Amino acid sequence: MGLVIIFALVSLLAVFATISALKNKNVLGILFGLATVGVFGWFTIMTVLHHGYPAAH
């Protein structure tokens, strides 16, 4: 489940990067940021829905 947490952090960083790219009007950065949020965000959401929230041991 640690991998899901790491992917969630990558998704959050990609959101901030996409916002930064929007402010700078960087089209390629916007495309890569949105693609990263889409892929890693989808994986994170579906894994949490399928396996549940990671429990602390």
Side-chain angles (χ1 to χ4, degrees):
M1 276 303 180
L3 187 64
V4 175
I5 295 170
I6 293 170
F7 281 167
L9 292 174
V10 169
S11 298
L12 288 174
L13 288 173
V15 167
F16 291 126
T18 304
I19 292 170
S20 175
L22 282 168
K23 289 180 183 176
N24 294 330
K25 297 178 184 169
N26 182 359
V27 177
L28 191 60
I30 295 167
L31 291 176
F32 278 115
L34 289 175
T36 303
V37 170
V39 171
F40 285 97
W42 180 256
F43 177 79
T44 303
I45 291 170
M46 294 311 291
T47 304
V48 168
L49 288 177
H50 187 264
H51 292 292
Y53 190 75
H57 293 290

